[in-house]
Amino acid sequence: MIRRCDVKELDGRSYRCFFELTLQVVGGKWKPIILYHLWLEKVLRFGALKKTMPGITQRMLTKQLRELEADRLISRVAYNEMPPRVEYSLTELGESVIPIFQAMRNWGMEFEKSVAGELITGEHYESVDAVE
Amino acid sequence: MIRRCDVKELDGRSYRCFFELTLQVVGGKWKPIILYHLWLEKVLRFGALKKTMPGITQRMLTKQLRELEADRLISRVAYNEMPPRVEYSLTELGESVIPIFQAMRNWGMEFEKSVAGELITGEHYESVDAVE
DNA sequence: CGGTATCCCACGCGATACTG
DNA sequence: CAGTATCGCGTGGGATACCG
């Protein structure tokens, strides 16, 4: 059985397998959190989104949102008001990744349990997740 | 509804949500491919593994394998022979991530289709994956 | 309020050489 | 064959300042 490992090019992106492609689109430090929060709240303004993500800078949030929009995972609606108002929400494509996040979330929980259980017992681990 | 975003520490690793934890353990450029190939072949020697992954350097492969081993996703068996022989295989924990890869693989395929379908039609896209 | 524009750093990843 | 040891770069991510 021969395994190919060609590099594919699509729309200015290059990747060697679909896992890698998926990571490029929804991976990284912030994108999963953005998508998950949008899924929970349906619609969020820029400021509200920022408030749910302590630690992110405006520049970073804008950048991630632009990329997600370019990949059509989210839609952006700007109202011509003063002060400005911009609302973000998931597209259908964006909603379709949520099950993957949940699967990874669950796996991470199990992994944490198994690691914690292996460390010297007696310590108690609080479970506080960033997106629940 | 208040959302916390505390940073958790576990076993020398820090993360803010389980998605992030999962990515730290099985993410990156090479780990998914290593795990997927081990899943397909059950047992692989260092050299055989390297052969299935064009482009990876020895140093990188060793590093990734050590990390996966430390996280108990793979097991390493070294035989005291000359020349040396080392065999890698998935642990039960390692096997438990495979469904996630498959889900991401499937999502990546659908995403590629939707992007390709959106570009000027007439071009033909060959589908060659690194891990199948 | 919802952004850009600059500047900058850490680190994931790689190239190369050497070894039991 | 299956590894270390060194060196080094590109880029994902961050700090800060300014704008319509």
Side-chain angles (χ1 to χ4, degrees):
Chain A
M1 191 176 179
I2 295 175
R3 310 199 184 291
R4 310 268 301 271
C5 197
D6 299 346
V7 172
K8 301 171 74 176
E9 303 278 343
L10 177 65
D11 206 11
R13 214 189 314 257
S14 76
Y15 52 97
R16 298 156 304 142
C17 66
F18 289 123
F19 183 91
E20 199 176 357
L21 173 60
T22 301
L23 271 194
Q24 286 178 18
V25 177
V26 300
K29 187 169 179 180
W30 299 112
K31 281 176 181 172
I33 302 181
I34 294 172
L35 293 168
Y36 201 84
H37 283 172
L38 284 179
W39 180 70
L40 289 174
E41 305 292 342
K42 307 304 177 197
V43 177
L44 278 173
R45 297 180 56 169
F46 183 89
L49 199 47
K50 188 169 186 309
K51 224 170 281 178
T52 67
M53 303 170 64
I56 197 172
T57 61
Q58 260 182 354
R59 171 189 141 78
M60 256 303 129
L61 182 51
T62 303
K63 192 162 169 288
Q64 305 304 314
L65 287 171
R66 292 289 177 281
E67 291 177 12
L68 288 171
E69 192 193 359
D71 285 330
R72 296 167 307 114
L73 297 202
I74 65 176
S75 65
R76 175 183 187 274
V77 179
Y79 298 88
N80 248 4
E81 304 172 355
M82 205 52 197
R85 180 162 61 102
V86 179
E87 291 182 345
Y88 293 93
S89 58
L90 290 188
T91 62
E92 228 177 279
L93 189 58
E95 286 184 16
S96 70
V97 295
I98 299 296
I100 293 178
F101 290 165
Q102 260 141 7
M104 295 184 74
R105 240 180 72 75
N106 290 336
W107 191 88
M109 290 176 62
E110 291 305 316
F111 177 79
E112 185 189 63
K113 260 196 255 173
S114 79
V115 173
E118 190 179 70
L119 299 176
I120 298 89
T121 49
E123 246 182 298
H124 184 58
Y125 288 90
E126 272 300 328
S127 221
V128 181
D129 198 340
V131 287
E132 83 182 347
Chain B
M1 192 177 180
I2 295 176
R3 311 198 184 293
R4 310 266 302 272
C5 196
D6 300 344
V7 172
K8 302 172 74 174
E9 302 279 344
L10 177 67
D11 206 12
R13 213 190 313 257
S14 76
Y15 52 98
R16 298 155 305 142
C17 66
F18 289 123
F19 184 90
E20 200 175 356
L21 173 60
T22 301
L23 272 193
Q24 285 178 20
V25 176
V26 300
K29 186 169 178 181
W30 300 111
K31 282 176 182 172
I33 302 180
I34 293 173
L35 293 169
Y36 201 85
H37 283 172
L38 284 179
W39 180 71
L40 289 173
E41 305 292 343
K42 306 306 175 196
V43 178
L44 278 172
R45 297 181 56 168
F46 183 89
L49 200 47
K50 188 169 186 309
K51 225 170 280 177
T52 67
M53 302 169 63
I56 198 171
T57 60
Q58 259 180 356
R59 169 187 144 75
M60 257 303 128
L61 182 52
T62 303
K63 191 162 171 289
Q64 306 303 313
L65 288 170
R66 290 291 176 277
E67 291 177 11
L68 288 171
E69 191 192 0
D71 285 329
R72 295 167 306 115
L73 297 203
I74 65 175
S75 66
R76 174 183 186 276
V77 180
Y79 298 87
N80 249 1
E81 305 172 355
M82 206 51 195
R85 179 162 60 105
V86 179
E87 291 181 344
Y88 293 93
S89 58
L90 289 188
T91 62
E92 228 178 280
L93 190 58
E95 287 184 15
S96 69
V97 296
I98 300 295
I100 294 179
F101 291 165
Q102 260 141 6
M104 295 185 74
R105 239 180 74 76
N106 289 336
W107 192 88
M109 290 177 63
E110 291 305 316
F111 177 79
E112 184 189 62
K113 259 195 253 172
S114 80
V115 173
E118 190 180 68
L119 298 176
I120 298 90
T121 50
E123 245 181 299
H124 184 58
Y125 288 90
E126 273 301 328
S127 219
V128 181
D129 198 340
V131 287
E132 83 182 348

